[in-house]
Amino acid sequence: MKQKQKEILKAVHRETGEPHGEMTELYPGIGITFFSVSGQDSFRFCHEPLAHVMEINYCISGKIGWNMYGGNQIYLGSGDFSLNTMDTCVNSIVTLPNGSCEGIVICIDLEQLTDAPPMPLAGSSVTGELLLEKYCKGGTCTVLAGNEIVQQIFQALYQSPEETRTAWQKVKVLELLLVLSGMEVSREKHLTEYRSEQVEIIRQVHDQLIENLEQRCSIESLSKQYLMNPTTLKNMFKEIYGTSIAAHIREHRMEAAAQLLQSTDLSVADVARKVGYDSQSRFSDTFKRHFGVLPKEYRKNLRK
């Protein structure tokens, strides 16, 4: 199991070029690793189709998504986690809507968990068959927003003191398995799973807005242009990119304005127009809320 997990991580490293921490074996058949990817929109994820190994993915920060069986796409934001066997995401394209993500991967050999569980779980109801039936039946992937108990468990996996971290991880992984085995999993608790065609539309909306920051587009006009219900458009955009359309575009407008103030001699009024503001005073107020200083002060400080 440990050797197989290392081979999987090597495959991911070959495809992404990103560093991954070594898999730490907590118990026979149970390992944990941390990942951090940035500076790209997507990468290919390749590994063997291990139907007996369950993967628990937890997103610490950022946003991550990937194609699942049947053409659906699933996204994790900060605090979300997913459970699936490693035959459901073979050779998939992983996307980073915001350009980066940090997270945790826990791999569990379900057969070994049933046949030779860690001593504290021996004789309990926690088995590989139970977890497989509850979360991964029929090759499905379960995606959930973490509740307070689950969040505390995951946070302890990476926030505990370094000198006792492995000990905490051993304790907390067993606690996680106990919680998962007893958790009521209703459809209402599942995060939304979208068709890849819908996700592609949201990406087109995003790209159009980012490439035309000087223009103002309403939700209604976008929904008519892309033939998508306004509520669906807003909800999907927030789930994929982590913020509302307005907040996301405002972030890009402010970053573009800062770049113009730094690299050009355009007046503040001209900069405001180039990033979609007809009112210089409104632009200046928004800029100050974002950067803590007015545009003129920002430029002056840079040139000092």
Side-chain angles (χ1 to χ4, degrees):
M1 174 65 180
K2 186 174 181 180
Q3 182 60 33
K4 187 65 68 179
Q5 290 166 343
K6 287 184 176 179
E7 290 173 4
I8 292 169
L9 288 180
K10 287 179 182 178
V12 175
H13 178 77
R14 283 198 301 272
E15 294 292 337
T16 66
E18 293 290 341
H20 290 71
E22 282 196 23
M23 178 73 70
T24 299
E25 187 178 44
L26 302 178
Y27 300 97
I30 301 178
I32 185 172
T33 190
F34 297 82
F35 68 87
S36 176
V37 288
S38 62
Q40 53 193 312
D41 296 324
S42 63
F43 58 87
R44 186 172 293 280
F45 184 82
C46 301
H47 58 72
E48 293 188 35
L50 305 176
H52 66 288
V53 177
M54 185 174 76
E55 208 177 52
I56 302 175
N57 293 284
Y58 175 77
C59 179
I60 297 174
S61 64
K63 200 83 173 174
I64 189 168
W66 62 95
N67 291 325
M68 299 304 292
Y69 179 77
N72 292 338
Q73 291 200 4
I74 290 174
Y75 288 86
L76 300 181
S78 178
D80 301 335
F81 67 103
S82 64
L83 305 94
N84 61 275
T85 51
M86 294 187 68
D87 57 343
T88 63
C89 53
V90 175
N91 195 27
S92 60
I93 300 294
V94 177
T95 60
L96 302 171
N98 295 328
S100 65
C101 182
E102 290 185 311
I104 300 171
V105 181
I106 300 170
C107 291
I108 302 167
D109 187 320
L110 298 175
E111 295 175 352
Q112 184 147 356
L113 180 61
T114 296
D115 298 337
M119 186 56 66
L121 297 181
S124 73
S125 61
V126 181
T127 64
E129 286 97 335
L130 172 67
L131 296 175
L132 182 65
E133 175 73 18
K134 196 166 193 175
Y135 296 103
C136 310
K137 186 177 181 180
T140 60
C141 175
T142 299
V143 186
L144 301 167
N147 56 36
E148 186 176 350
I149 295 174
V150 172
Q151 293 285 33
Q152 290 175 352
I153 293 173
F154 279 114
Q155 287 170 5
L157 295 175
Y158 64 91
Q159 290 182 346
S160 52
E162 188 172 354
E163 60 272 16
T164 57
R165 186 161 299 165
T166 300
W168 275 107
Q169 289 171 350
K170 287 185 175 183
V171 172
K172 289 299 179 179
V173 163
L174 295 184
E175 183 181 356
L176 178 63
L177 294 178
L178 286 166
V179 170
L180 290 174
S181 66
M183 185 183 291
E184 293 277 342
V185 185
S186 64
R187 184 62 197 169
E188 290 72 27
K189 291 183 179 179
H190 284 236
L191 295 180
T192 308
E193 187 174 323
Y194 293 119
R195 298 291 302 177
S196 58
E197 307 89 72
Q198 292 177 303
V199 175
E200 182 57 34
I201 290 174
I202 296 301
R203 287 190 183 139
Q204 291 175 21
V205 170
H206 173 269
D207 292 346
Q208 176 181 325
L209 293 172
I210 297 305
E211 291 167 7
N212 300 278
L213 292 176
E214 74 284 357
Q215 298 177 5
R216 290 277 177 172
C217 298
S218 67
I219 299 295
E220 289 70 24
S221 65
L222 290 170
S223 67
K224 289 178 181 178
Q225 179 182 348
Y226 289 96
L227 304 178
M228 181 178 284
N229 178 276
T231 301
T232 302
L233 191 155
K234 289 189 292 185
N235 291 342
M236 284 188 65
F237 193 99
K238 186 171 184 178
E239 185 159 342
I240 292 172
Y241 289 98
T243 60
S244 67
I245 293 177
H248 190 80
I249 302 309
R250 184 167 57 247
E251 176 84 17
H252 280 275
R253 283 193 166 110
M254 292 302 101
E255 295 298 332
Q259 182 61 34
L260 288 170
L261 289 168
Q262 177 180 354
S263 60
T264 74
D265 292 320
L266 290 172
S267 68
V268 172
D270 286 339
V271 170
R273 281 191 290 271
K274 280 190 170 292
V275 296
Y277 287 85
D278 293 329
S279 167
Q280 180 179 332
S281 61
R282 184 182 170 202
F283 164 70
S284 296
D285 288 342
T286 305
F287 191 92
K288 185 173 182 179
R289 284 198 300 272
H290 189 84
F291 288 103
V293 294
L294 290 168
K296 287 183 179 179
E297 297 172 40
Y298 182 87
R299 173 177 273 169
K300 184 178 179 181
N301 291 339
L302 284 175
R303 293 183 175 178
K304 281 183 179 179

